[in-house]
Structures are given as structure tokens and as C-alpha cells.
Amino acid sequence: MLWAANTVIRKFSTSYAKLQNKLNLALIGQSLFGQEVYTGLRKQGHKVVGVFTVPDKDGKADPLATVAEKDGTPVFKFPRWRVKGEPIAEVVEAYKAVGAELNVMPFCSQFIPMTVINYPKHGSIIYHPSILPKHRGASAINWTLIEGDKKAGFSVFWADDGLDTGPILLQKECDVEPNDTVDTLYNRFLFPEGIKAMVEAVQLVADGKAPRIPQPEEGASYEGIQKKSNAKVNLDQPAEAIHNWIRGHDKVPGAWAVIQGQVCAISVHAGVGTHKACRCLQVRSLQFEDGKMIPAARYFSPGDTTSVELTEEEKKMAEEIRVCVCGILSNVNVIEDTTDFFKSGAASMDVVRLVEEIKEKCAGVPLQNEDVYMATSFQEFVQMFVRRLRGEDQEEELVVSYATKDINNMTLKMPYQCFIDGRFEDAENGKTYDTVNPTDGSVSHTHEHAHALVSSARRTHRCLCLLLCACRLADLMEEHQEELATIEAIDSGAVYTLALKTHVGMSIQTFRYFAGWCDKIQGTTIPINQARPNRNLTFTRKEPLGVCAIVIPWNYPLMMLAWKSAACLAAGNTLVLKPAQVTPLTALKFAELTVKAGIPKGVINILPGSGGLVGQRLSDHPDIRKLGFTGSTPIGKQIMKSCAVSNLKKVSLELGGKSPLIVFSDCDLDKAVRMGMSSVYFNKGENCIAAGRLFVEESIHDEFIRRVVGETVLSSGCSAYSWEFPIILFPFRSDTIEEVITHNAHCRVSFCAGYFMEPTVFTDVEDHMFIAKEESFGPVMVVSKFKDGDVDGVLSRANDTEFGLASGVFTRDINKAMYVSERLEAGTVFINTYNKTDVAAPFGGFKQSGFGKDLGEEALHEYLRTKAVTVEY
Ligand code: NAP
């Protein structure tokens, strides 16, 4: 019995409650917006007792009428409600007869008499696409953009007898993006959110909770209706005002100008903006009086008037297209070659239909809505379609100026200009600088770009297309690996074989690895406390950050580029990368390959130049949302400060290190010697995780040194030796060298001529010495002893550093190895190995070696943000 009673109560408090507080509504309006509001209200449980909309046009019913008629809802199509200012009695009576409790007016172009507005017991609510009291009047969205407002939005308000002056029920707002147009604002916010808000507003009225907030007079504005006749562009004003004017009219009514005596409608689309600095404006397309649209860039080039001869197969396709067009233009009996799609009555919905129908018939054709606007007559459309099918309609070819060099049995072709928005171009001020080949001192010129053109870095999407591009890019890098490795060798002084295997080899692997992530970035669902009687679900979305900057050092120019760029792109961002000033050439060659790989323009931009100028500009830039940095600790600190002060951009810092390597007496000594040497000398010691200090247990110390010195002497001068250390590009300052020599008795330092230095071993190094504390970034082994069995003692010495990038331990005792690895304060610990990095393993430091990870899944999260979404249902 008790159980039965509980059941009844529970039923009452859930599903039964949903049936309460529902209204009988009259919907007065039109268009898709009206249709969606109608559907949403019915879904919410309200009853639409009458739909009042506009009469059919050319035999076609308005979308609101179409859906309501299907449902059997009474539909009225009065052409007008008033004559000479007086309500038409029969119309008003017909309206009153439906018995509505509230009038909902989602999009109403007719003048509705006050007797109707005030008739229902709750009155009337209206949608208006501006944040009232701003932009009252019929062209609110246009004026929001024309006036350069930073916020757009809409209001649902109570109708009164003024013009958009009634009390506010609810309002919602969004940011206006620099390239928003009327279309984008409407489609991404005002339309979808507006529908939801109308439904929400009706429920508030039904629940007796709808506010009536009087509109303030302060900030109120009323602007006239924008028509074609008053949409002429005044070219005598700043670029931003022109940009706002054009986008404020796009696409309806369409801004226009007279160019060479011809009236041209001008349109800007998302992704095209102003370069404020040079006060110029990029126009994407022009449309002439006859309705024909062309890409603006082709305005000055003579049109391609030659038409292509169709093959039999293509003629068949043309006929299929003719059938599609005929189905859409039902009012035209015969589709001639000259039949113009728009002049024959097609609207924007018909464009979508045409494109979809053709795609269905000819799978794989790259066709977009815009193509229909560009080729409006049937014949033009077929010609465009056939050229597209034949691949003749390709993007303009990449133009590259190269510096060339005959070397390594090949002729290197090295781009040297900045790479911006898919093009190689000179620096804005034409400034160049010399980049030196450390093996012979010869120089090449590279352009230094001072302005970070962030507007050219466009948003991209994580998608299959990106995945395919990244795979293609990796393949292309492999195809060009000898060329890339040779450029790396002459630009950074890398040993060719190592450049081939590591600098280039791991870069290729990195792109392949992250290509696999492109379509696997996903959030999670999270159980949260329920808010009874409703239930909730929380899930997270992983979103790209937008435009990211990447600043990298000179020791692994291509690999550092790959580690950061691949993760950044896989996460769906675009990037502006500054290579080290002294090693820009592989980055620019890489840029050339990205175009061949099909990576869209503007996704990758490479700006060579100095850290103080280009790097600093990127750190300060207000439109960049993330900076990924690899380099020294002092510069890392400066970057973090600039990122904080400018716009609090997200930062990850991969900084310097002084990584300890502990060699216990119970190790495999042969292996410890071999790996101990490569831990220091790999890539000539120009390695951030190079073992900066070796701690060797006393009982094996002398033997260890004997073997190491023997190997070192043996391999000096032998450039083909496995860890290729005898040549080095060495950035030591001379005072450091002095300090090294005066503080250490047992040292052997010798320099080759020029930029290179031979490998060096220091023994008996004490903890207070300069070389025990500072990163050497060269082929310098620093060895200290520790007492037999003093595990905790050596651990505390190993951790006594502000760096924490990597570390290592050699021992056969697994318990000791695990004990030590747990206590070493470093982002990476190698046990019985060293330098074993992998594209799938996260890499990054602790303490003043920075934060954030490169490589592995964790690297993706450096370039993503997490949004938590909570739904009540
Ligand atoms: P760096 O002097 O810090 O330079 C790194 C990059 O920062 C260069 O592109 C540099 O430009 C730029 N830069 C300089 N000043 C800047 C500023 N004010 N704003 C923005 N960018 C600026 O380092 P490096 O000497 O090239 O490289 C060696 C360091 O990198 C070592 O400490 C090494 O340990 C570290 N590193 C760390 C990792 C890791 O993963 N943790 C990997 C490799 C290297 P310029 O070219 O004009 O100097």
C-alpha cells in the first residue's frame, strides 16, 4: 500500500509536472525562424491554436505555413491586417476566434493592430535581433556591424505601440568576431539561440515568471532600414569603417561601389579582414549588376573566355545537371544554356539543393554553394563544373625564390623568404640578415619579418582532411629527407648522418604519430550530482585554442618544429612559428612541403628573425592564445612575463637542463661507459637532456674514467664515429672557458679552428664549481665521485639543482633503480639507458626546466582547452 502511494507521488512530481503551465498560442510570423520556433514550442508541450503568416509567393507557401499545415494547425495567410490605418474587422475576428492566451511573434514583417497585440490575456512577445534599446528598427544586425559593435545579441520583448520600445523579457549576447557578417552572426548565434530563447520566454510567461523590464532611454538608437539604394560604400574613410560597412551589408542588401563605371556589389567573407597597419582592405568577391560573381582577385585579369569542349561522358553529366536545375526552377519550362539560375527565381535554399543534388549524382566533386553564385547561367555552370572535374580549376601555383648550393651530390634549393598565408614573401621592410654555415663560414640571406600577421593564421578544423594532410606531409618529408638533412647540416652544423636519422627521422615520425590523433580528440562524460526531479549530464569538449605561436632554439631546428607544430595542428589550431635566428632554413623548406601536402593557406606561417623582435612580438600579440617555447630558462621567464602582461596567453616552456646521471658500481660497466658517453656527446652535446653531471660510485670511478678518456681520445678527429661528437658549433662565452680552466685541475680542453670544439672530460668536479651547476650545451663531460653505498647522499647532490629536465641511473639492482627513479626530481628518468625519447612518450621538465609536455598524448592538451557542458534533461 505504502509502495503504491509513493509511486503515485513520484509520478506526479516528474512526468505529470511537464503537463503543467502550458499555453494556447497564436504564432504571428514567417520564415524558417518562425518554423523552428513553432516546432520548438510544440515540443515543449504548448498548443499552437493558430498560425498567422504571409500569403504564398509564386505558388510556394512560407516555411512556417508549410509545417503548420502538415500538422493540421489552423493557418491564416492575410495579406494585411489594416487598411488606411484601421484594423480589418474580419481579420481581427478570425484572429480572436482561435482563443490564444499569448501572441508569439518570432519574425513578423506585417503591421499588427494594437487590438490584436493586446487581446490575449498575456499580450504579445516579439523577437528583435539587437540588444535593445540599441539598434531599434528593421536593420538591427546590419547596424550592429556597421557601427563596429563588439557585442551582438537579441532581445525578446513585450510588444507595445512604439517601435521596438516595449519592456524587455530576456536578452542574450555574443562577441562580434572581426570577420563576422550579417550571415555569420545570424547563423551562428541569432538564429539558433534566438529560437531557444523564444521557447524559453514562452515558458517563463506560462510559469508566471516573465519579467517586464522597461527599456532605458540611455544608449537607445533607432536606425533606418538598409536598402540597396543606400548601401553605397564611401571609400573615403578608414579601412576598418569600410570593412564594417561591407560586412554590415553582406549579403543582403549588399554593399556596392562604382568601379570603372560599373556598379559592383562587394562582399567580404569570413577569413578576410583588414590590415589595419597598411590601411588596406581585402575584398573576396565582386558581383556585377547582371548577378554574376567573380573572385575579386580576378577583376584585373582578362576573363578566360575559351570554353572547354565536352566529352561524351561530360555531356551526359551536363544533361543530368540540366534535370536537377529543371526540378528546382519549376516555373521555367526549358533550361537553355543561357538560363540564369537566379534571374529565374532561385533563392539561397535552392543553391544548397542544387549543390547537394549534384554531389549525390557525381560523388567526390569539390563543389560549394559559392560556385553557383560564380557561374549563374547554365552554360557557365557546366563549364565551371567540367573544369573542376578535370582538375583545371586549381589554386595558383606556389612561387618560391631559392638560394641554391651544390653539396652532398645534390643541388639544394632553399627558400629564404617569410612564409605567410601560404605564400613566400619578402619582409615588409625588405630587411634581410645573414645566416652562417658553421662548417665553412659561408653566408645565406634570409628575410626577417617584424610583423606577426596573425590575421593570416586562420582557424582550422580537426578533421579527416587534416589527418590526410599530416600523413602526406610526413611522406613528403621522407621523400625529401636527404635534402632536409643536408640543409640542417649546413645551417646548424649538425652531423649529416645524425641529421638524417634524428633531426629529420624523428620529425617524420612525429608528424605520423600526431596525424593519428587528428580524429581522436574527445572529451569525457562525467557523473555529477543530480538535481531532482531533473537529471543532469556533464560532458567535456576539447577545443582548439585558435592561433598559437611557437618559438624554438637552434640545436634541433626541424625536430623542435615538428614536436610542437604536429601537436598544435592535430589539436586543430593554426600557428605562427619563429625558428632560431641562426637556423631558419629547414623551417622554410618545411613550409614549402606543407603547400605540396595540401595544408590550407594560413594554417602554418613561418617568420624568421630575431627573438628580441619577432619572438617578442609574438609573446606580446593580443590575438595569440598560446605560446609554445623551447629554449633557455632566462628567455623562458621573459616570455612567460610578456604572455601574462599582454593577454594572459597559455604558455608551455621546455627549458634548459643540467641532468644528473648516476652510475652505481653494480652496473653493466661496458654499457654504462658507452651510454654515459652518448648521454653527454650525442648531437655534439647540443642536447637539452644531455647528462650535465655524471656521479660515479667511487669503487668503479677510475676504471670508468680510464675507459671514457680512452674512447674519447680514440674518437677525436674521427667524424664518422657513432655519436659523432668531434665537431661542434659551440656557443661558450670566453669568460666561461676561463672559469672552467682556472677552477679545474684535471681538464683537457682543446679547440679546433673556427666554430668547432673537441670533446672534453672534467673529473673530480666539486658541487660548488661553475661547471657543476651551469648547462654547458657542448661536448663537455663533468664527472664527480660519490662514496660507495651512499644512495641517499648522491640523490641529494643530484637533486641539488634548479633544473629538472632529465636524469639517469645505471645499476643491475632493480629495487635500487626504482628507489632512485622515484626520488629524482626530473621530468624524465632513464634506467640503464639514455636519450631514449619517443614520439609517444611525454617529454618536459620540472622546476626551472619549465612546464608542459611535448610529444605523446599530453602534448595535445597543451594546445587544447576543455569546456565542461552540463545538460539538464
Ligand atoms: P634561447 O636563447 O632561449 O632562444 C630560443 C628561442 O627564443 C630563439 O628562437 C630565440 O631567438 C628566441 N628568443 C630570444 N629572445 C626572445 C624574446 N625576448 N621573446 C621571444 N623569443 C625570444 O635558447 P637557444 O640558445 O636558442 O637554445 C638553447 C637552449 O634551449 C638551452 O638552454 C637548451 O637546454 C634549451 N633547449 C631545451 C629543450 C627542451 O625540450 N627542454 C630542447 C632544446 C633546447 P634568437 O634566435 O634570435 O635567439
Side-chain angles (χ1 to χ4, degrees), residues 340-390:
D340 188 284
F341 196 56
F342 296 102
K343 285 182 193 153
S344 306
S348 55
M349 275 307 291
D350 300 317
V351 173
V352 179
R353 188 172 148 196
L354 180 65
V355 168
E356 289 310 310
E357 285 186 12
I358 294 177
K359 277 185 179 167
E360 214 175 288
K361 289 203 164 132
C362 314
V365 183
L367 198 63
Q368 290 176 351
N369 297 354
E370 213 169 275
D371 296 327
V372 183
Y373 292 101
M374 299 271 181
T376 54
S377 77
F378 178 73
Q379 189 182 24
E380 281 170 345
F381 186 80
V382 169
Q383 286 282 320
M384 178 277 300
F385 182 79
V386 168
R387 281 179 204 277
R388 190 62 62 81
L389 268 185
R390 294 181 185 182

Short mmCIF file of all heavy atoms in Angstrom, two decimals, residues 340-390:
data_model
loop_
_atom_site.label_atom_id
_atom_site.label_comp_id
_atom_site.label_asym_id
_atom_site.label_seq_id
_atom_site.Cartn_x
_atom_site.Cartn_y
_atom_site.Cartn_z
N ASP A 340 19.49 31.80 -66.57
CA ASP A 340 20.22 32.24 -65.37
C ASP A 340 19.48 31.74 -64.13
O ASP A 340 18.27 31.94 -63.98
CB ASP A 340 20.31 33.77 -65.35
CG ASP A 340 21.22 34.24 -64.24
OD1 ASP A 340 20.79 34.21 -63.06
OD2 ASP A 340 22.36 34.62 -64.56
N PHE A 341 20.22 31.08 -63.27
CA PHE A 341 19.64 30.42 -62.09
C PHE A 341 18.87 31.41 -61.22
O PHE A 341 17.72 31.17 -60.84
CB PHE A 341 20.78 29.78 -61.32
CG PHE A 341 20.35 28.76 -60.31
CD1 PHE A 341 19.58 27.66 -60.67
CD2 PHE A 341 20.73 28.87 -58.97
CE1 PHE A 341 19.19 26.70 -59.74
CE2 PHE A 341 20.35 27.92 -58.03
CZ PHE A 341 19.58 26.83 -58.42
N PHE A 342 19.49 32.56 -60.97
CA PHE A 342 18.86 33.49 -60.02
C PHE A 342 17.78 34.33 -60.67
O PHE A 342 16.74 34.59 -60.07
CB PHE A 342 19.94 34.36 -59.37
CG PHE A 342 20.89 33.53 -58.55
CD1 PHE A 342 22.14 33.20 -59.03
CD2 PHE A 342 20.49 33.02 -57.33
CE1 PHE A 342 23.00 32.39 -58.30
CE2 PHE A 342 21.34 32.20 -56.59
CZ PHE A 342 22.59 31.89 -57.07
N LYS A 343 18.05 34.71 -61.93
CA LYS A 343 17.03 35.52 -62.59
C LYS A 343 15.77 34.69 -62.85
O LYS A 343 14.70 35.22 -63.07
CB LYS A 343 17.58 36.08 -63.91
CG LYS A 343 18.55 37.21 -63.64
CD LYS A 343 19.05 37.81 -64.92
CE LYS A 343 20.23 38.71 -64.62
NZ LYS A 343 21.13 38.82 -65.74
N SER A 344 15.91 33.37 -62.80
CA SER A 344 14.74 32.52 -62.98
C SER A 344 14.06 32.21 -61.65
O SER A 344 13.24 31.30 -61.57
CB SER A 344 15.14 31.21 -63.66
OG SER A 344 15.83 31.47 -64.84
N GLY A 345 14.45 32.90 -60.62
CA GLY A 345 13.71 32.82 -59.35
C GLY A 345 14.34 31.97 -58.27
O GLY A 345 13.75 31.79 -57.20
N ALA A 346 15.55 31.45 -58.48
CA ALA A 346 16.15 30.62 -57.43
C ALA A 346 16.55 31.47 -56.23
O ALA A 346 16.98 32.62 -56.39
CB ALA A 346 17.37 29.89 -57.98
N ALA A 347 16.42 30.89 -55.04
CA ALA A 347 16.83 31.57 -53.81
C ALA A 347 17.97 30.77 -53.17
O ALA A 347 18.39 29.74 -53.70
CB ALA A 347 15.64 31.65 -52.86
N SER A 348 18.46 31.26 -52.01
CA SER A 348 19.65 30.62 -51.43
C SER A 348 19.41 29.16 -51.06
O SER A 348 20.31 28.32 -51.18
CB SER A 348 20.14 31.41 -50.22
OG SER A 348 19.09 31.54 -49.31
N MET A 349 18.18 28.82 -50.65
CA MET A 349 17.89 27.41 -50.33
C MET A 349 18.03 26.53 -51.58
O MET A 349 18.41 25.37 -51.51
CB MET A 349 16.45 27.26 -49.79
CG MET A 349 16.29 27.52 -48.31
SD MET A 349 17.41 26.53 -47.33
CE MET A 349 16.73 24.90 -47.58
N ASP A 350 17.68 27.14 -52.73
CA ASP A 350 17.78 26.38 -53.98
C ASP A 350 19.24 26.10 -54.34
O ASP A 350 19.55 25.09 -54.96
CB ASP A 350 17.10 27.15 -55.12
CG ASP A 350 15.62 27.39 -54.81
OD1 ASP A 350 14.99 26.44 -54.31
OD2 ASP A 350 15.13 28.50 -55.03
N VAL A 351 20.12 27.03 -53.93
CA VAL A 351 21.55 26.82 -54.19
C VAL A 351 22.01 25.58 -53.44
O VAL A 351 22.68 24.70 -53.99
CB VAL A 351 22.37 28.06 -53.73
CG1 VAL A 351 23.85 27.79 -53.83
CG2 VAL A 351 21.99 29.29 -54.55
N VAL A 352 21.63 25.50 -52.17
CA VAL A 352 22.02 24.34 -51.35
C VAL A 352 21.48 23.06 -52.00
O VAL A 352 22.19 22.06 -52.12
CB VAL A 352 21.45 24.48 -49.91
CG1 VAL A 352 21.82 23.28 -49.07
CG2 VAL A 352 21.95 25.77 -49.28
N ARG A 353 20.23 23.13 -52.44
CA ARG A 353 19.61 21.95 -53.03
C ARG A 353 20.35 21.53 -54.30
O ARG A 353 20.65 20.34 -54.48
CB ARG A 353 18.13 22.26 -53.35
CG ARG A 353 17.37 21.05 -53.77
CD ARG A 353 15.90 21.34 -53.90
NE ARG A 353 15.34 20.51 -54.95
CZ ARG A 353 14.17 20.71 -55.53
NH1 ARG A 353 13.41 21.72 -55.15
NH2 ARG A 353 13.74 19.91 -56.47
N LEU A 354 20.68 22.50 -55.14
CA LEU A 354 21.38 22.18 -56.39
C LEU A 354 22.72 21.50 -56.09
O LEU A 354 23.05 20.46 -56.67
CB LEU A 354 21.60 23.46 -57.21
CG LEU A 354 22.32 23.26 -58.54
CD1 LEU A 354 21.49 22.42 -59.50
CD2 LEU A 354 22.67 24.60 -59.20
N VAL A 355 23.47 22.10 -55.17
CA VAL A 355 24.80 21.55 -54.85
C VAL A 355 24.66 20.13 -54.30
O VAL A 355 25.39 19.22 -54.71
CB VAL A 355 25.52 22.48 -53.83
CG1 VAL A 355 26.75 21.81 -53.26
CG2 VAL A 355 25.90 23.79 -54.52
N GLU A 356 23.71 19.94 -53.40
CA GLU A 356 23.55 18.60 -52.80
C GLU A 356 23.11 17.57 -53.85
O GLU A 356 23.60 16.45 -53.88
CB GLU A 356 22.53 18.64 -51.65
CG GLU A 356 23.03 19.37 -50.42
CD GLU A 356 24.40 18.91 -49.96
OE1 GLU A 356 24.60 17.70 -49.83
OE2 GLU A 356 25.30 19.76 -49.77
N GLU A 357 22.20 17.97 -54.72
CA GLU A 357 21.72 17.02 -55.73
C GLU A 357 22.83 16.63 -56.70
O GLU A 357 22.97 15.47 -57.07
CB GLU A 357 20.52 17.60 -56.50
CG GLU A 357 19.26 17.55 -55.66
CD GLU A 357 18.01 18.00 -56.43
OE1 GLU A 357 18.07 18.12 -57.66
OE2 GLU A 357 16.98 18.23 -55.76
N ILE A 358 23.65 17.62 -57.06
CA ILE A 358 24.75 17.30 -57.99
C ILE A 358 25.78 16.42 -57.30
O ILE A 358 26.28 15.46 -57.88
CB ILE A 358 25.39 18.59 -58.54
CG1 ILE A 358 24.37 19.33 -59.39
CG2 ILE A 358 26.63 18.27 -59.35
CD1 ILE A 358 24.84 20.65 -59.92
N LYS A 359 26.06 16.72 -56.05
CA LYS A 359 27.04 15.91 -55.31
C LYS A 359 26.57 14.46 -55.20
O LYS A 359 27.36 13.53 -55.21
CB LYS A 359 27.26 16.47 -53.91
CG LYS A 359 28.24 17.62 -53.85
CD LYS A 359 28.46 18.00 -52.42
CE LYS A 359 29.44 19.11 -52.24
NZ LYS A 359 29.39 19.63 -50.87
N GLU A 360 25.26 14.31 -55.06
CA GLU A 360 24.71 12.96 -54.94
C GLU A 360 24.91 12.19 -56.25
O GLU A 360 25.22 11.01 -56.26
CB GLU A 360 23.22 13.09 -54.63
CG GLU A 360 22.72 11.99 -53.73
CD GLU A 360 21.27 12.26 -53.38
OE1 GLU A 360 21.04 13.19 -52.59
OE2 GLU A 360 20.40 11.55 -53.92
N LYS A 361 24.76 12.93 -57.35
CA LYS A 361 24.89 12.26 -58.66
C LYS A 361 26.34 12.04 -59.04
O LYS A 361 26.70 11.03 -59.64
CB LYS A 361 24.21 13.11 -59.74
CG LYS A 361 22.70 13.07 -59.58
CD LYS A 361 22.01 13.39 -60.87
CE LYS A 361 20.55 12.96 -60.77
NZ LYS A 361 19.62 13.91 -61.19
N CYS A 362 27.19 13.01 -58.73
CA CYS A 362 28.61 12.90 -59.13
C CYS A 362 29.45 12.94 -57.85
O CYS A 362 29.96 14.01 -57.47
CB CYS A 362 29.02 14.06 -60.02
SG CYS A 362 27.84 14.40 -61.30
N ALA A 363 29.55 11.83 -57.17
CA ALA A 363 30.24 11.78 -55.88
C ALA A 363 31.68 12.25 -56.04
O ALA A 363 32.32 12.00 -57.05
CB ALA A 363 30.21 10.35 -55.36
N GLY A 364 32.13 12.99 -55.02
CA GLY A 364 33.54 13.38 -55.00
C GLY A 364 33.87 14.69 -55.70
O GLY A 364 35.02 15.11 -55.72
N VAL A 365 32.85 15.35 -56.29
CA VAL A 365 33.15 16.63 -56.96
C VAL A 365 33.26 17.72 -55.90
O VAL A 365 32.35 17.89 -55.08
CB VAL A 365 32.02 17.02 -57.93
CG1 VAL A 365 32.38 18.30 -58.66
CG2 VAL A 365 31.76 15.91 -58.88
N PRO A 366 34.37 18.46 -55.89
CA PRO A 366 34.50 19.52 -54.89
C PRO A 366 33.67 20.73 -55.29
O PRO A 366 34.14 21.60 -55.99
CB PRO A 366 36.00 19.83 -54.90
CG PRO A 366 36.47 19.40 -56.25
CD PRO A 366 35.52 18.39 -56.78
N LEU A 367 32.44 20.77 -54.87
CA LEU A 367 31.52 21.84 -55.27
C LEU A 367 31.02 22.56 -54.02
O LEU A 367 30.69 21.92 -53.03
CB LEU A 367 30.34 21.20 -56.02
CG LEU A 367 29.48 22.10 -56.88
CD1 LEU A 367 30.30 22.70 -58.01
CD2 LEU A 367 28.31 21.30 -57.47
N GLN A 368 30.99 23.89 -54.10
CA GLN A 368 30.48 24.65 -52.95
C GLN A 368 29.37 25.59 -53.39
O GLN A 368 29.28 25.93 -54.58
CB GLN A 368 31.60 25.48 -52.35
CG GLN A 368 32.62 24.62 -51.65
CD GLN A 368 33.79 25.42 -51.15
OE1 GLN A 368 33.91 26.60 -51.45
NE2 GLN A 368 34.63 24.78 -50.38
N ASN A 369 28.58 26.05 -52.40
CA ASN A 369 27.47 26.94 -52.73
C ASN A 369 27.94 28.15 -53.52
O ASN A 369 27.29 28.61 -54.46
CB ASN A 369 26.78 27.43 -51.45
CG ASN A 369 26.17 26.27 -50.69
OD1 ASN A 369 26.17 25.14 -51.18
ND2 ASN A 369 25.66 26.53 -49.50
N GLU A 370 29.11 28.64 -53.12
CA GLU A 370 29.62 29.84 -53.75
C GLU A 370 29.84 29.65 -55.26
O GLU A 370 29.71 30.59 -56.04
CB GLU A 370 30.95 30.18 -53.09
CG GLU A 370 31.23 31.64 -53.02
CD GLU A 370 32.42 31.86 -52.12
OE1 GLU A 370 32.20 31.93 -50.91
OE2 GLU A 370 33.54 31.94 -52.64
N ASP A 371 30.16 28.43 -55.65
CA ASP A 371 30.39 28.17 -57.08
C ASP A 371 29.16 28.50 -57.90
O ASP A 371 29.26 28.91 -59.06
CB ASP A 371 30.77 26.69 -57.29
CG ASP A 371 32.07 26.34 -56.61
OD1 ASP A 371 32.95 27.22 -56.55
OD2 ASP A 371 32.20 25.21 -56.12
N VAL A 372 27.99 28.29 -57.32
CA VAL A 372 26.75 28.57 -58.06
C VAL A 372 26.60 30.07 -58.27
O VAL A 372 26.16 30.51 -59.33
CB VAL A 372 25.53 28.00 -57.30
CG1 VAL A 372 24.24 28.21 -58.09
CG2 VAL A 372 25.73 26.53 -56.98
N TYR A 373 27.03 30.85 -57.27
CA TYR A 373 26.95 32.31 -57.43
C TYR A 373 27.98 32.81 -58.43
O TYR A 373 27.83 33.86 -59.03
CB TYR A 373 27.21 33.00 -56.08
CG TYR A 373 26.11 32.77 -55.07
CD1 TYR A 373 26.25 31.83 -54.06
CD2 TYR A 373 24.92 33.50 -55.14
CE1 TYR A 373 25.24 31.61 -53.14
CE2 TYR A 373 23.91 33.30 -54.22
CZ TYR A 373 24.07 32.35 -53.22
OH TYR A 373 23.07 32.14 -52.31
N MET A 374 29.07 32.05 -58.59
CA MET A 374 30.14 32.47 -59.50
C MET A 374 29.79 32.12 -60.95
O MET A 374 30.35 32.68 -61.87
CB MET A 374 31.45 31.76 -59.15
CG MET A 374 31.95 32.08 -57.76
SD MET A 374 32.99 33.51 -57.77
CE MET A 374 33.43 33.59 -56.04
N ALA A 375 28.95 31.16 -61.17
CA ALA A 375 28.60 30.77 -62.54
C ALA A 375 27.09 30.64 -62.58
O ALA A 375 26.53 29.59 -62.29
CB ALA A 375 29.26 29.44 -62.87
N THR A 376 26.44 31.75 -62.94
CA THR A 376 24.99 31.80 -62.72
C THR A 376 24.18 31.25 -63.89
O THR A 376 23.07 30.77 -63.70
CB THR A 376 24.54 33.24 -62.42
OG1 THR A 376 25.03 34.07 -63.47
CG2 THR A 376 25.06 33.73 -61.09
N SER A 377 24.73 31.34 -65.13
CA SER A 377 23.96 30.77 -66.24
C SER A 377 24.26 29.28 -66.34
O SER A 377 25.31 28.81 -65.89
CB SER A 377 24.29 31.46 -67.56
OG SER A 377 25.53 30.98 -68.04
N PHE A 378 23.34 28.55 -66.96
CA PHE A 378 23.50 27.09 -67.04
C PHE A 378 24.82 26.73 -67.72
O PHE A 378 25.58 25.88 -67.25
CB PHE A 378 22.31 26.47 -67.78
CG PHE A 378 22.44 24.99 -67.91
CD1 PHE A 378 22.27 24.16 -66.81
CD2 PHE A 378 22.78 24.40 -69.13
CE1 PHE A 378 22.44 22.79 -66.92
CE2 PHE A 378 22.94 23.03 -69.25
CZ PHE A 378 22.76 22.22 -68.13
N GLN A 379 25.11 27.42 -68.83
CA GLN A 379 26.32 27.08 -69.57
C GLN A 379 27.58 27.37 -68.74
O GLN A 379 28.51 26.57 -68.68
CB GLN A 379 26.37 27.89 -70.87
CG GLN A 379 27.48 27.42 -71.78
CD GLN A 379 27.56 28.24 -73.04
OE1 GLN A 379 27.12 29.40 -73.05
NE2 GLN A 379 28.08 27.66 -74.08
N GLU A 380 27.60 28.53 -68.08
CA GLU A 380 28.76 28.87 -67.24
C GLU A 380 28.95 27.83 -66.15
O GLU A 380 30.06 27.41 -65.84
CB GLU A 380 28.54 30.23 -66.56
CG GLU A 380 28.79 31.41 -67.45
CD GLU A 380 28.32 32.70 -66.79
OE1 GLU A 380 27.56 32.64 -65.79
OE2 GLU A 380 28.71 33.75 -67.27
N PHE A 381 27.84 27.42 -65.59
CA PHE A 381 27.92 26.45 -64.51
C PHE A 381 28.50 25.12 -64.99
O PHE A 381 29.38 24.54 -64.36
CB PHE A 381 26.53 26.24 -63.89
CG PHE A 381 26.57 25.35 -62.68
CD1 PHE A 381 26.95 25.86 -61.45
CD2 PHE A 381 26.26 24.00 -62.77
CE1 PHE A 381 27.02 25.04 -60.33
CE2 PHE A 381 26.32 23.17 -61.67
CZ PHE A 381 26.71 23.70 -60.44
N VAL A 382 28.02 24.68 -66.15
CA VAL A 382 28.52 23.40 -66.69
C VAL A 382 30.01 23.51 -67.00
O VAL A 382 30.80 22.61 -66.70
CB VAL A 382 27.72 23.00 -67.95
CG1 VAL A 382 28.38 21.84 -68.68
CG2 VAL A 382 26.30 22.60 -67.54
N GLN A 383 30.43 24.65 -67.58
CA GLN A 383 31.85 24.84 -67.89
C GLN A 383 32.70 24.80 -66.62
O GLN A 383 33.73 24.14 -66.56
CB GLN A 383 32.03 26.21 -68.59
CG GLN A 383 31.54 26.22 -70.02
CD GLN A 383 32.52 25.54 -70.98
OE1 GLN A 383 33.73 25.71 -70.86
NE2 GLN A 383 32.01 24.76 -71.90
N MET A 384 32.23 25.51 -65.60
CA MET A 384 32.96 25.53 -64.33
C MET A 384 33.06 24.11 -63.76
O MET A 384 34.11 23.65 -63.30
CB MET A 384 32.22 26.46 -63.35
CG MET A 384 32.79 26.57 -61.96
SD MET A 384 32.28 25.27 -60.84
CE MET A 384 30.52 25.47 -60.83
N PHE A 385 31.93 23.41 -63.83
CA PHE A 385 31.83 22.06 -63.28
C PHE A 385 32.82 21.10 -63.97
O PHE A 385 33.55 20.35 -63.33
CB PHE A 385 30.39 21.57 -63.43
CG PHE A 385 30.15 20.22 -62.86
CD1 PHE A 385 29.98 20.06 -61.49
CD2 PHE A 385 30.09 19.10 -63.67
CE1 PHE A 385 29.76 18.81 -60.95
CE2 PHE A 385 29.88 17.85 -63.12
CZ PHE A 385 29.71 17.71 -61.77
N VAL A 386 32.86 21.21 -65.30
CA VAL A 386 33.73 20.32 -66.07
C VAL A 386 35.21 20.63 -65.79
O VAL A 386 36.03 19.74 -65.59
CB VAL A 386 33.40 20.42 -67.58
CG1 VAL A 386 34.46 19.74 -68.42
CG2 VAL A 386 32.04 19.80 -67.84
N ARG A 387 35.54 21.92 -65.75
CA ARG A 387 36.93 22.30 -65.41
C ARG A 387 37.30 21.75 -64.03
O ARG A 387 38.41 21.28 -63.81
CB ARG A 387 37.06 23.82 -65.37
CG ARG A 387 37.18 24.47 -66.72
CD ARG A 387 37.28 25.99 -66.50
NE ARG A 387 36.86 26.72 -67.66
CZ ARG A 387 37.62 26.98 -68.71
NH1 ARG A 387 38.86 26.59 -68.72
NH2 ARG A 387 37.15 27.64 -69.74
N ARG A 388 36.37 21.85 -63.12
CA ARG A 388 36.61 21.36 -61.75
C ARG A 388 36.86 19.85 -61.78
O ARG A 388 37.78 19.34 -61.17
CB ARG A 388 35.37 21.69 -60.92
CG ARG A 388 35.42 21.51 -59.46
CD ARG A 388 36.42 22.37 -58.74
NE ARG A 388 36.28 23.81 -58.80
CZ ARG A 388 35.48 24.54 -58.05
NH1 ARG A 388 34.71 23.94 -57.18
NH2 ARG A 388 35.45 25.83 -58.13
N LEU A 389 36.02 19.16 -62.55
CA LEU A 389 36.17 17.70 -62.66
C LEU A 389 37.52 17.31 -63.25
O LEU A 389 38.16 16.35 -62.84
CB LEU A 389 35.09 17.14 -63.58
CG LEU A 389 33.80 16.68 -62.95
CD1 LEU A 389 32.92 16.06 -64.03
CD2 LEU A 389 34.04 15.65 -61.87
N ARG A 390 37.97 18.12 -64.21
CA ARG A 390 39.23 17.80 -64.88
C ARG A 390 40.43 18.28 -64.07
O ARG A 390 41.57 18.11 -64.48
CB ARG A 390 39.29 18.50 -66.25
CG ARG A 390 38.28 17.97 -67.23
CD ARG A 390 38.44 18.72 -68.53
NE ARG A 390 37.43 18.35 -69.51
CZ ARG A 390 37.40 18.84 -70.75
NH1 ARG A 390 38.31 19.70 -71.14
NH2 ARG A 390 36.45 18.46 -71.58
#
